[in-house]
Amino acid sequence: MIKHFIFSCTLFVSISSILHAQKSNQLTDEPKEKRFEHYLGVQINPLLRQLLTIGSAPNINNPFLLNYSLNNTKSKWGIHGGVGFNLVQLKDNDDLTDRRSLITTVSSRIGLDRYFDLSSRWQVGFGIDGIYQLSENITNTQVISFDTIDVESRITNQRSGGGLRGFARFKLSERVMLGTESTLYYQFGFNRNESKITSRDFSQPGAPK
């Protein structure tokens, strides 16, 4: 079983909107009461790393690429969720070995948070989350010599846990915000390894082709 802590710091661009309560008297011209605020955030760390780092792939520390929050405008408390998907394909070929890998990772989190208005443009807040992550690495290796050996390996990694999240947001406009968050999560999980080996000897009469 694997146990460890993960700390990350992430930049997000958020789009916010406000839901209003319906007034009982529809004839009045009084402004409607604000009830909820929606926040939809997209992580921009990979884009920044691609722009600032030439010739190398971005390293995503925070796997939650898409985030959503629904907060009450009076209490400032709300619910939060995040999801992420990552797909990596690797190929390695020389005169004797042909290796292909497919790595998929699905991440999710859900929790509660509260924000505070420091000014008309700045918000800070904190939250507590539960997280779950599933990763699978499938590698096919073919070694060609007097005989051919095919090896298929499958590594499955499952992790669960939770922890704390802190964030700050700056309003660029009425509906667009630039934010950053830091998380400290404790995770535990396990790995499962499976392998299948097939050998074909072409030097013997009647060998499979």
Side-chain angles (χ1 to χ4, degrees), residues 26-46:
Q26 299 293 338
L27 299 179
T28 62
D29 294 330
E30 296 179 3
K32 298 177 180 179
E33 180 186 0
K34 300 176 182 180
R35 293 190 61 188
F36 298 99
E37 282 189 312
H38 298 264
Y39 297 91
L40 180 63
V42 178
Q43 185 183 159
I44 61 174
N45 278 27

Side-chain angles (χ1 to χ4, degrees), residues 170-186:
F170 177 78
K171 290 185 178 181
L172 300 177
S173 68
E174 184 64 26
R175 293 187 177 274
V176 180
M177 310 178 77
L178 180 64
T180 182
E181 73 169 35
S182 296
T183 58
L184 180 61
Y185 290 148
Y186 173 74

Side-chain angles (χ1 to χ4, degrees), residues 54-121:
I54 300 177
S56 63
N59 179 24
I60 303 176
N61 295 325
N62 190 324
F64 309 105
L65 302 180
L66 185 65
N67 290 267
Y68 172 77
S69 295
L70 175 65
N71 293 84
N72 184 279
T73 56
K74 290 184 177 181
S75 67
K76 311 299 185 183
W77 282 98
I79 59 175
H80 173 86
V83 294
F85 177 79
N86 191 35
L87 177 66
V88 178
Q89 290 181 304
L90 302 175
K91 296 182 180 180
D92 183 15
N93 195 329
D94 55 31
D95 294 335
L96 297 178
T97 304
D98 182 17
R99 181 179 294 106
R100 301 171 184 266
S101 298
L102 180 64
I103 306 172
T104 57
T105 304
V106 179
S107 306
S108 62
R109 70 180 178 188
I110 188 170
L112 300 174
D113 62 19
R114 189 186 194 283
Y115 72 87
F116 303 87
D117 291 317
L118 297 182
S119 67
S120 60
R121 289 190 174 271

Side-chain angles (χ1 to χ4, degrees), residues 120-131:
S120 60
R121 289 190 174 271
W122 281 100
Q123 287 182 353
V124 296
F126 67 93
I128 182 170
D129 301 319
I131 60 175

